[in-house]
Amino acid sequence: MVLNHHTQVCIIGLGYVGLPLATAFAKKYKTLGFDIDASRVQELQKQIDRTETISSATLLSLSDNEQLQFTHHIDAIQHCNVFIVTVPTPVTNDKQPDLQPLKEACQLLGGLLQKNHIVVFESTVYPGCTEEICVPILETTSGLTYNQDFFCGYSPERINPGDTTNTVETIVKVTAGSTPEIADFVDDLYRSVITAGTHKAPSIKVAEASKAIENAQRDVNISFINELSLIFDKMDIDTYDVLAAAATKWNFLTFKPGLVGGHCIGVDPYYLAYQAKKLGHEPQVILSGRHVNDNMGVFVANKMAKLLHAQDKPIQNANILLLGITFKENCTDVRNSKVVDVYQELTQLGMQVSVYDPHADPELVKKLYQITLVKSLSQYDGIMITVGHQAFHELDYSQLKKDDRSVIYDLKAILPREWVNARL
Protein backbone atom coordinates (compact mmCIF):
# COMPACT_ATOMS: atom_id res chain seq x y z
CA MET A 1 0.00 0.00 0.00
CA VAL A 2 1.50 3.32 -1.08
CA LEU A 3 0.58 6.98 -0.94
CA ASN A 4 -0.63 8.37 -4.27
CA HIS A 5 -3.28 10.60 -5.83
CA HIS A 6 -5.90 8.01 -4.86
CA THR A 7 -5.31 8.68 -1.16
CA GLN A 8 -8.48 10.35 0.12
CA VAL A 9 -8.24 11.45 3.74
CA CYS A 10 -11.25 11.98 6.00
CA ILE A 11 -10.91 13.46 9.49
CA ILE A 12 -13.67 12.33 11.86
CA GLY A 13 -14.22 15.05 14.47
CA LEU A 14 -13.36 18.71 13.89
CA GLY A 15 -12.43 19.99 17.33
CA TYR A 16 -9.14 21.23 18.74
CA VAL A 17 -7.37 18.14 17.34
CA GLY A 18 -9.26 17.35 14.16
CA LEU A 19 -9.36 20.77 12.50
CA PRO A 20 -5.60 21.51 12.65
CA LEU A 21 -4.94 17.98 11.41
CA ALA A 22 -7.39 18.44 8.54
CA THR A 23 -5.73 21.67 7.44
CA ALA A 24 -2.30 20.02 7.60
CA PHE A 25 -3.36 17.11 5.40
CA ALA A 26 -5.26 19.40 3.02
CA LYS A 27 -2.00 21.08 2.06
CA LYS A 28 -1.00 17.81 0.35
CA TYR A 29 -4.12 15.65 -0.09
CA LYS A 30 -7.76 16.11 -0.91
CA THR A 31 -9.19 16.12 2.60
CA LEU A 32 -12.71 15.94 3.95
CA GLY A 33 -13.56 16.99 7.48
CA PHE A 34 -16.57 15.31 9.06
CA ASP A 35 -18.39 16.22 12.27
CA ILE A 36 -21.84 15.28 13.58
CA ASP A 37 -22.25 18.87 14.83
CA ALA A 38 -23.99 20.54 11.90
CA SER A 39 -23.52 24.04 13.36
CA ARG A 40 -19.76 23.47 13.64
CA VAL A 41 -19.60 22.34 10.02
CA GLN A 42 -21.64 25.31 8.82
CA GLU A 43 -19.31 27.71 10.64
CA LEU A 44 -16.24 26.09 9.09
CA GLN A 45 -17.82 26.31 5.66
CA LYS A 46 -17.99 30.06 6.30
CA GLN A 47 -14.31 30.05 7.40
CA ILE A 48 -15.20 30.57 11.07
CA ASP A 49 -13.31 28.54 13.69
CA ARG A 50 -14.88 28.99 17.12
CA THR A 51 -11.78 27.48 18.77
CA GLU A 52 -9.65 30.32 17.34
CA THR A 53 -7.07 27.73 16.22
CA ILE A 54 -7.13 28.08 12.42
CA SER A 55 -7.36 31.48 10.73
CA SER A 56 -10.16 32.37 8.33
CA ALA A 57 -7.55 33.08 5.67
CA THR A 58 -6.17 29.53 5.91
CA LEU A 59 -9.63 27.99 5.74
CA LEU A 60 -10.56 30.19 2.79
CA SER A 61 -7.38 29.33 0.88
CA LEU A 62 -7.81 25.59 1.31
CA SER A 63 -11.53 25.63 0.51
CA ASP A 64 -11.12 27.83 -2.57
CA ASN A 65 -8.93 25.24 -4.28
CA GLU A 66 -11.17 22.44 -2.96
CA GLN A 67 -8.34 20.81 -1.03
CA LEU A 68 -10.43 20.91 2.16
CA GLN A 69 -14.17 20.48 2.48
CA PHE A 70 -16.44 20.00 5.48
CA THR A 71 -19.59 17.95 5.93
CA HIS A 72 -21.92 16.47 8.51
CA HIS A 73 -23.45 14.04 6.01
CA ILE A 74 -22.13 10.49 6.32
CA ASP A 75 -22.83 9.71 2.66
CA ALA A 76 -20.38 12.43 1.62
CA ILE A 77 -17.35 10.58 3.01
CA GLN A 78 -17.92 7.20 1.37
CA HIS A 79 -15.31 7.86 -1.33
CA CYS A 80 -12.51 8.30 1.24
CA ASN A 81 -10.12 5.42 1.96
CA VAL A 82 -8.16 6.72 4.99
CA PHE A 83 -10.19 7.72 8.03
CA ILE A 84 -8.55 9.48 10.98
CA VAL A 85 -10.62 9.53 14.18
CA THR A 86 -10.11 12.51 16.49
CA VAL A 87 -13.23 12.42 18.64
CA PRO A 88 -12.98 13.33 22.35
CA THR A 89 -12.33 10.69 25.02
CA PRO A 90 -13.31 12.29 28.36
CA VAL A 91 -13.96 10.67 31.72
CA THR A 92 -17.26 10.22 33.51
CA ASN A 93 -18.18 11.91 36.78
CA ASP A 94 -16.70 8.95 38.67
CA LYS A 95 -13.42 9.24 36.71
CA GLN A 96 -13.96 6.24 34.45
CA PRO A 97 -13.09 6.33 30.72
CA ASP A 98 -16.01 7.58 28.63
CA LEU A 99 -15.58 5.76 25.33
CA GLN A 100 -19.07 6.48 24.00
CA PRO A 101 -17.97 9.09 21.38
CA LEU A 102 -15.25 6.70 20.19
CA LYS A 103 -17.64 3.75 19.99
CA GLU A 104 -20.17 5.82 18.05
CA ALA A 105 -17.47 6.89 15.60
CA CYS A 106 -16.52 3.24 15.06
CA GLN A 107 -20.14 2.26 14.45
CA LEU A 108 -20.49 5.09 11.97
CA LEU A 109 -17.32 4.10 10.10
CA GLY A 110 -18.17 0.42 10.15
CA GLY A 111 -21.21 1.17 8.03
CA LEU A 112 -19.10 2.42 5.14
CA LEU A 113 -15.78 0.56 5.40
CA GLN A 114 -14.63 -1.18 2.25
CA LYS A 115 -11.78 -3.50 1.41
CA ASN A 116 -8.30 -2.02 2.02
CA HIS A 117 -9.63 0.97 3.93
CA ILE A 118 -7.52 2.18 6.84
CA VAL A 119 -8.80 3.65 10.12
CA VAL A 120 -6.26 5.61 12.16
CA PHE A 121 -7.11 6.66 15.71
CA GLU A 122 -5.74 9.78 17.37
CA SER A 123 -8.12 9.87 20.33
CA THR A 124 -6.37 9.26 23.65
CA VAL A 125 -7.15 5.81 25.07
CA TYR A 126 -5.63 3.22 27.40
CA PRO A 127 -3.15 0.69 25.95
CA GLY A 128 -5.05 -2.02 24.11
CA CYS A 129 -8.25 -0.04 23.54
CA THR A 130 -7.94 0.25 19.76
CA GLU A 131 -7.75 -3.49 19.15
CA GLU A 132 -9.91 -4.60 22.09
CA ILE A 133 -12.78 -2.09 21.74
CA CYS A 134 -12.64 -0.29 18.39
CA VAL A 135 -11.68 -3.14 16.05
CA PRO A 136 -14.52 -5.50 17.14
CA ILE A 137 -17.06 -2.72 16.52
CA LEU A 138 -15.61 -2.06 13.08
CA GLU A 139 -15.67 -5.77 12.23
CA THR A 140 -19.23 -6.31 13.48
CA THR A 141 -20.74 -3.28 11.72
CA SER A 142 -18.81 -3.71 8.46
CA GLY A 143 -18.83 -7.49 8.14
CA LEU A 144 -15.14 -7.23 7.19
CA THR A 145 -12.15 -8.95 8.76
CA TYR A 146 -9.44 -7.00 10.57
CA ASN A 147 -5.97 -7.12 8.98
CA GLN A 148 -7.42 -8.97 6.03
CA ASP A 149 -10.05 -6.63 4.60
CA PHE A 150 -9.38 -3.42 6.54
CA PHE A 151 -6.53 -2.15 8.71
CA CYS A 152 -5.93 0.19 11.62
CA GLY A 153 -3.30 2.61 12.81
CA TYR A 154 -2.72 4.81 15.82
CA SER A 155 -1.04 8.21 16.06
CA PRO A 156 -1.67 9.95 19.39
CA GLU A 157 -2.58 13.62 19.16
CA ARG A 158 -0.15 16.16 20.52
CA ILE A 159 -2.15 19.34 20.00
CA ASN A 160 -1.47 22.11 22.52
CA PRO A 161 -4.46 24.52 22.43
CA GLY A 162 -3.44 28.17 22.33
CA ASP A 163 0.14 27.36 21.29
CA THR A 164 1.00 29.04 17.99
CA THR A 165 4.61 27.79 18.04
CA ASN A 166 4.21 24.05 18.62
CA THR A 167 1.65 23.27 15.94
CA VAL A 168 0.59 19.95 14.47
CA GLU A 169 3.25 20.14 11.76
CA THR A 170 6.11 21.11 14.08
CA ILE A 171 5.66 18.43 16.74
CA VAL A 172 7.18 14.96 16.21
CA LYS A 173 4.36 12.47 15.62
CA VAL A 174 4.28 8.92 16.98
CA THR A 175 2.78 6.45 14.49
CA ALA A 176 1.85 2.77 14.49
CA GLY A 177 0.01 0.28 12.28
CA SER A 178 -1.74 -3.06 12.64
CA THR A 179 0.70 -4.81 10.28
CA PRO A 180 4.28 -3.95 9.27
CA GLU A 181 3.07 -2.76 5.86
CA ILE A 182 0.34 -0.60 7.37
CA ALA A 183 2.78 0.77 9.95
CA ASP A 184 4.97 1.93 7.07
CA PHE A 185 1.97 3.44 5.26
CA VAL A 186 0.72 5.34 8.33
CA ASP A 187 4.23 6.59 9.06
CA ASP A 188 4.71 7.72 5.45
CA LEU A 189 1.31 9.42 5.50
CA TYR A 190 2.09 11.51 8.56
CA ARG A 191 5.71 12.13 7.60
CA SER A 192 4.49 13.64 4.34
CA VAL A 193 2.80 16.51 6.24
CA ILE A 194 4.68 16.68 9.57
CA THR A 195 7.82 18.76 9.09
CA ALA A 196 9.17 17.77 12.52
CA GLY A 197 9.22 14.09 11.49
CA THR A 198 7.74 10.95 12.97
CA HIS A 199 8.60 8.12 15.35
CA LYS A 200 7.30 4.71 14.26
CA ALA A 201 6.35 2.68 17.33
CA PRO A 202 6.59 -1.14 17.15
CA SER A 203 2.88 -1.64 17.85
CA ILE A 204 -0.42 0.16 18.30
CA LYS A 205 -0.39 -0.71 22.00
CA VAL A 206 3.03 0.92 22.46
CA ALA A 207 1.82 4.08 20.72
CA GLU A 208 -1.28 4.16 22.93
CA ALA A 209 0.86 3.75 26.04
CA SER A 210 3.26 6.51 24.97
CA LYS A 211 0.40 9.01 24.92
CA ALA A 212 -0.90 7.86 28.27
CA ILE A 213 2.42 8.33 30.05
CA GLU A 214 3.22 11.71 28.43
CA ASN A 215 0.46 13.41 30.35
CA ALA A 216 0.59 11.18 33.44
CA GLN A 217 4.25 12.15 33.87
CA ARG A 218 3.44 15.86 33.72
CA ASP A 219 0.47 15.39 36.03
CA VAL A 220 2.59 13.69 38.69
CA ASN A 221 5.28 16.36 38.48
CA ILE A 222 2.76 19.19 38.86
CA SER A 223 1.09 17.36 41.76
CA PHE A 224 4.44 17.30 43.56
CA ILE A 225 4.75 21.08 43.17
CA ASN A 226 1.13 21.55 44.24
CA GLU A 227 1.76 19.49 47.35
CA LEU A 228 4.78 21.66 48.08
CA SER A 229 2.50 24.70 47.81
CA LEU A 230 0.22 23.20 50.44
CA ILE A 231 3.19 22.58 52.72
CA PHE A 232 4.86 25.95 52.14
CA ASP A 233 1.57 27.75 52.75
CA LYS A 234 1.59 26.35 56.29
CA MET A 235 5.19 27.52 56.66
CA ASP A 236 4.39 31.01 55.33
CA ILE A 237 6.89 30.53 52.47
CA ASP A 238 6.30 31.72 48.89
CA THR A 239 6.47 28.66 46.62
CA TYR A 240 7.80 30.67 43.68
CA ASP A 241 10.70 31.92 45.80
CA VAL A 242 11.58 28.33 46.64
CA LEU A 243 11.34 27.23 43.01
CA ALA A 244 13.54 30.11 41.87
CA ALA A 245 16.22 29.10 44.36
CA ALA A 246 16.01 25.38 43.57
CA ALA A 247 16.12 26.04 39.81
CA THR A 248 19.72 27.25 40.11
CA LYS A 249 20.74 23.57 40.34
CA TRP A 250 21.59 22.24 36.88
CA ASN A 251 19.31 19.18 36.97
CA PHE A 252 16.28 20.63 38.76
CA LEU A 253 13.10 20.21 36.70
CA THR A 254 10.95 23.35 36.64
CA PHE A 255 7.21 22.93 37.11
CA LYS A 256 4.75 25.44 38.51
CA PRO A 257 1.80 25.00 40.86
CA GLY A 258 -1.71 25.49 39.55
CA LEU A 259 -5.15 24.18 38.70
CA VAL A 260 -4.70 21.12 36.50
CA GLY A 261 -7.64 20.71 34.15
CA GLY A 262 -8.08 20.44 30.41
CA HIS A 263 -8.54 17.60 27.96
CA CYS A 264 -5.18 15.89 28.54
CA ILE A 265 -3.32 16.21 31.83
CA GLY A 266 -6.47 16.23 33.97
CA VAL A 267 -8.04 13.28 32.11
CA ASP A 268 -5.51 10.93 30.50
CA PRO A 269 -3.98 9.53 33.72
CA TYR A 270 -7.38 8.05 34.60
CA TYR A 271 -7.28 6.00 31.39
CA LEU A 272 -3.92 4.49 32.32
CA ALA A 273 -5.08 3.90 35.91
CA TYR A 274 -8.27 2.23 34.68
CA GLN A 275 -6.40 -0.34 32.61
CA ALA A 276 -3.83 -0.93 35.35
CA LYS A 277 -6.60 -1.73 37.82
CA LYS A 278 -8.21 -4.12 35.34
CA LEU A 279 -4.90 -5.98 35.25
CA GLY A 280 -4.70 -6.16 39.03
CA HIS A 281 -2.26 -3.33 39.73
CA GLU A 282 -3.18 -0.38 41.93
CA PRO A 283 -1.40 2.66 40.39
CA GLN A 284 -0.53 4.49 43.59
CA VAL A 285 1.74 7.22 42.23
CA ILE A 286 -0.60 8.14 39.36
CA LEU A 287 -3.71 8.25 41.52
CA SER A 288 -2.05 10.06 44.41
CA GLY A 289 -1.00 12.76 41.96
CA ARG A 290 -4.53 12.97 40.61
CA HIS A 291 -5.89 13.26 44.17
CA VAL A 292 -3.64 16.23 44.96
CA ASN A 293 -4.42 18.04 41.71
CA ASP A 294 -8.15 17.37 41.85
CA ASN A 295 -8.36 18.94 45.30
CA MET A 296 -6.45 22.15 44.58
CA GLY A 297 -9.66 24.05 43.89
CA VAL A 298 -10.84 23.52 47.45
CA PHE A 299 -7.50 24.67 48.86
CA VAL A 300 -7.45 27.78 46.68
CA ALA A 301 -10.99 28.79 47.66
CA ASN A 302 -10.29 28.39 51.35
CA LYS A 303 -7.06 30.35 50.97
CA MET A 304 -9.09 33.24 49.55
CA ALA A 305 -11.36 33.07 52.59
CA LYS A 306 -8.32 33.29 54.88
CA LEU A 307 -6.92 36.25 52.95
CA LEU A 308 -10.23 38.10 53.28
CA HIS A 309 -10.36 37.35 57.01
CA ALA A 310 -6.81 38.66 57.44
CA GLN A 311 -7.97 41.96 55.92
CA ASP A 312 -11.03 42.11 58.23
CA LYS A 313 -13.36 41.58 55.31
CA PRO A 314 -16.51 39.52 55.91
CA ILE A 315 -16.54 36.25 54.01
CA GLN A 316 -20.31 36.09 53.72
CA ASN A 317 -21.49 37.94 50.60
CA ALA A 318 -17.95 39.08 49.73
CA ASN A 319 -17.78 40.05 46.05
CA ILE A 320 -15.14 37.90 44.37
CA LEU A 321 -13.84 38.10 40.80
CA LEU A 322 -12.33 35.06 39.10
CA LEU A 323 -10.22 36.07 36.12
CA GLY A 324 -10.36 33.18 33.66
CA ILE A 325 -12.27 29.92 33.23
CA THR A 326 -10.49 28.27 30.29
CA PHE A 327 -8.16 25.44 31.28
CA LYS A 328 -5.06 27.39 30.26
CA GLU A 329 -3.95 30.81 29.08
CA ASN A 330 -4.76 32.37 25.71
CA CYS A 331 -7.08 29.64 24.44
CA THR A 332 -10.82 29.07 24.27
CA ASP A 333 -10.90 25.53 25.66
CA VAL A 334 -13.07 25.23 28.77
CA ARG A 335 -13.18 21.43 28.94
CA ASN A 336 -12.56 20.03 32.42
CA SER A 337 -11.88 23.50 33.82
CA LYS A 338 -10.78 23.33 37.45
CA VAL A 339 -11.73 26.98 37.90
CA VAL A 340 -15.24 25.60 38.23
CA ASP A 341 -14.17 23.81 41.44
CA VAL A 342 -12.96 27.14 42.84
CA TYR A 343 -16.21 28.84 41.85
CA GLN A 344 -18.34 26.17 43.51
CA GLU A 345 -16.32 26.17 46.74
CA LEU A 346 -16.35 29.97 47.03
CA THR A 347 -20.11 29.96 46.46
CA GLN A 348 -20.61 27.33 49.15
CA LEU A 349 -18.62 29.52 51.53
CA GLY A 350 -21.23 32.24 50.98
CA MET A 351 -19.38 34.54 48.58
CA GLN A 352 -20.85 36.29 45.55
CA VAL A 353 -18.65 35.14 42.67
CA SER A 354 -18.26 36.71 39.22
CA VAL A 355 -16.26 35.06 36.42
CA TYR A 356 -14.72 37.02 33.54
CA ASP A 357 -12.98 35.48 30.55
CA PRO A 358 -12.67 37.21 27.15
CA HIS A 359 -11.59 33.94 25.47
CA ALA A 360 -14.38 31.65 26.66
CA ASP A 361 -17.69 31.11 24.86
CA PRO A 362 -20.38 32.33 27.33
CA GLU A 363 -23.04 30.00 25.92
CA LEU A 364 -20.80 26.95 26.23
CA VAL A 365 -19.77 27.87 29.79
CA LYS A 366 -23.43 28.27 30.72
CA LYS A 367 -24.31 24.93 29.13
CA LEU A 368 -21.43 22.98 30.70
CA TYR A 369 -21.18 24.58 34.12
CA GLN A 370 -24.30 26.71 34.68
CA ILE A 371 -22.07 29.74 35.18
CA THR A 372 -22.93 33.10 33.60
CA LEU A 373 -19.82 35.00 32.57
CA VAL A 374 -19.83 38.74 33.26
CA LYS A 375 -19.30 41.02 30.27
CA SER A 376 -17.85 43.97 32.18
CA LEU A 377 -15.81 44.44 35.35
CA SER A 378 -16.72 46.24 38.55
CA GLN A 379 -15.02 46.50 41.95
CA TYR A 380 -14.45 43.58 44.27
CA ASP A 381 -13.49 42.51 47.77
CA GLY A 382 -11.32 39.77 46.33
CA ILE A 383 -9.70 39.20 42.93
CA MET A 384 -8.29 35.82 41.96
CA ILE A 385 -6.21 35.36 38.81
CA THR A 386 -7.02 31.78 37.84
CA VAL A 387 -5.81 31.83 34.20
CA GLY A 388 -2.82 33.73 32.86
CA HIS A 389 -4.42 35.26 29.75
CA GLN A 390 -2.29 38.02 28.23
CA ALA A 391 -5.27 40.35 28.60
CA PHE A 392 -5.08 39.97 32.38
CA HIS A 393 -1.49 41.24 32.43
CA GLU A 394 -2.78 44.57 31.18
CA LEU A 395 -5.72 45.22 33.55
CA ASP A 396 -5.69 48.17 35.95
CA TYR A 397 -6.03 46.23 39.20
CA SER A 398 -6.24 49.38 41.28
CA GLN A 399 -9.58 50.05 39.60
CA LEU A 400 -10.84 46.55 40.38
CA LYS A 401 -10.26 46.80 44.12
CA LYS A 402 -13.24 47.98 46.14
CA ASP A 403 -10.98 49.51 48.78
CA ASP A 404 -7.49 49.32 50.28
CA ARG A 405 -8.36 46.06 52.06
CA SER A 406 -9.37 44.25 48.88
CA VAL A 407 -7.39 41.08 48.23
CA ILE A 408 -5.53 39.98 45.09
CA TYR A 409 -4.67 36.27 44.96
CA ASP A 410 -2.46 35.55 41.95
CA LEU A 411 -2.48 31.82 41.14
CA LYS A 412 -0.41 32.32 37.97
CA ALA A 413 2.23 34.73 39.32
CA ILE A 414 1.68 37.15 36.44
CA LEU A 415 1.67 40.35 38.54
CA PRO A 416 4.52 42.06 40.38
CA ARG A 417 4.84 40.47 43.78
CA GLU A 418 4.24 43.74 45.64
CA TRP A 419 0.81 44.09 44.03
CA VAL A 420 -0.66 40.88 45.42
CA ASN A 421 -1.59 39.46 48.81
CA ALA A 422 -0.55 35.92 47.91
CA ARG A 423 0.61 33.66 45.10
CA LEU A 424 -0.15 29.94 44.81
Side-chain angles (χ1 to χ4, degrees), residues 259-401:
L259 302 173
V260 185
H263 68 300
C264 285
I265 299 177
V267 172
D268 297 354
Y270 287 116
Y271 275 75
L272 188 57
Y274 167 83
Q275 189 69 345
K277 286 182 176 181
K278 279 182 60 178
L279 297 172
H281 176 78
E282 186 68 22
Q284 298 181 35
V285 173
I286 295 172
L287 290 181
S288 66
R290 278 282 78 230
H291 177 74
V292 170
N293 287 341
D294 275 346
N295 284 283
M296 286 303 291
V298 174
F299 165 76
V300 163
N302 282 276
K303 177 67 174 180
M304 172 58 85
K306 292 177 181 178
L307 292 172
L308 291 171
H309 179 73
Q311 294 295 321
D312 294 324
K313 276 189 171 288
I315 294 173
Q316 288 294 313
N317 295 315
N319 290 314
I320 305 299
L321 172 65
L322 300 184
L323 288 172
I325 197 169
T326 61
F327 91 93
K328 63 175 287 188
E329 66 277 1
N330 305 319
C331 81
T332 63
D333 196 346
V334 297
R335 290 175 294 175
N336 193 34
S337 170
K338 292 303 177 183
V339 179
V340 176
D341 296 351
V342 180
Y343 175 91
Q344 293 172 341
E345 187 69 16
L346 290 173
T347 302
Q348 290 175 11
L349 290 171
M351 302 181 205
Q352 303 298 316
V353 186
S354 299
V355 183
Y356 175 74
D357 194 319
H359 288 280
D361 179 348
E363 292 184 6
L364 182 59
V365 172
K366 183 69 173 179
K367 177 182 177 181
L368 292 178
Y369 304 119
Q370 295 74 56
I371 295 174
T372 301
L373 298 182
V374 297
K375 297 180 180 179
S376 59
L377 299 175
S378 182
Q379 292 185 315
Y380 306 90
D381 297 301
I383 302 160
M384 188 185 299
I385 303 172
T386 48
V387 183
H389 292 319
Q390 183 59 41
F392 297 159
H393 291 245
E394 301 160 2
L395 292 175
D396 185 348
Y397 287 86
S398 65
Q399 296 298 311
L400 297 179
K401 297 173 70 173

Side-chain angles (χ1 to χ4, degrees), residues 68-350:
L68 178 61
Q69 295 179 309
F70 303 104
T71 185
H72 59 91
H73 297 293
I74 187 64
D75 292 345
I77 68 175
Q78 290 184 352
H79 66 280
C80 297
N81 48 29
V82 177
F83 301 92
I84 303 177
V85 180
T86 65
V87 298
T89 45
V91 291
T92 62
N93 290 335
D94 58 353
K95 310 301 184 184
Q96 297 297 300
D98 181 2
L99 297 175
Q100 193 57 35
L102 188 60
K103 291 177 179 178
E104 290 175 357
C106 291
Q107 290 171 342
L108 179 149
L109 285 174
L112 52 83
L113 277 185
Q114 298 177 26
K115 193 171 181 62
N116 291 326
H117 280 182
I118 299 174
V119 182
V120 182
F121 294 93
E122 289 217 4
S123 304
T124 302
V125 293
Y126 53 80
C129 181
T130 296
E131 293 176 297
E132 294 169 12
I133 302 296
C134 299
V135 165
I137 295 174
L138 292 172
E139 285 189 314
T140 299
T141 53
S142 69
L144 301 176
T145 301
Y146 178 51
N147 280 343
Q148 178 177 313
D149 300 316
F150 74 94
F151 307 88
C152 286
Y154 189 80
S155 182
E157 61 92 358
R158 281 178 167 170
I159 293 294
N160 188 22
D163 189 339
T164 57
T165 301
N166 298 301
T167 62
V168 63
E169 290 104 332
T170 62
I171 301 174
V172 174
K173 205 77 161 68
V174 175
T175 67
S178 55
T179 70
E181 181 187 16
I182 297 303
D184 288 340
F185 176 87
V186 173
D187 193 66
D188 289 343
L189 176 67
Y190 278 94
R191 191 154 27 87
S192 69
V193 298
I194 305 296
T195 58
T198 59
H199 173 89
K200 186 167 62 175
S203 69
I204 287 177
K205 188 178 288 189
V206 167
E208 292 168 327
S210 74
K211 174 60 177 179
I213 71 165
E214 285 176 19
N215 291 319
Q217 180 190 65
R218 184 164 174 78
D219 192 44
V220 169
N221 277 293
I222 296 174
S223 74
F224 171 63
I225 302 300
N226 275 338
E227 187 164 59
L228 292 180
S229 290
L230 305 181
I231 296 169
F232 293 149
D233 181 69
K234 295 181 180 297
M235 298 177 176
D236 196 25
I237 298 174
D238 187 293
T239 303
Y240 283 90
D241 287 343
V242 177
L243 293 175
T248 60
K249 189 170 187 286
W250 68 91
N251 60 352
F252 183 80
L253 303 179
T254 302
F255 290 88
K256 296 179 180 180
L259 302 173
V260 185
H263 68 300
C264 285
I265 299 177
V267 172
D268 297 354
Y270 287 116
Y271 275 75
L272 188 57
Y274 167 83
Q275 189 69 345
K277 286 182 176 181
K278 279 182 60 178
L279 297 172
H281 176 78
E282 186 68 22
Q284 298 181 35
V285 173
I286 295 172
L287 290 181
S288 66
R290 278 282 78 230
H291 177 74
V292 170
N293 287 341
D294 275 346
N295 284 283
M296 286 303 291
V298 174
F299 165 76
V300 163
N302 282 276
K303 177 67 174 180
M304 172 58 85
K306 292 177 181 178
L307 292 172
L308 291 171
H309 179 73
Q311 294 295 321
D312 294 324
K313 276 189 171 288
I315 294 173
Q316 288 294 313
N317 295 315
N319 290 314
I320 305 299
L321 172 65
L322 300 184
L323 288 172
I325 197 169
T326 61
F327 91 93
K328 63 175 287 188
E329 66 277 1
N330 305 319
C331 81
T332 63
D333 196 346
V334 297
R335 290 175 294 175
N336 193 34
S337 170
K338 292 303 177 183
V339 179
V340 176
D341 296 351
V342 180
Y343 175 91
Q344 293 172 341
E345 187 69 16
L346 290 173
T347 302
Q348 290 175 11
L349 290 171

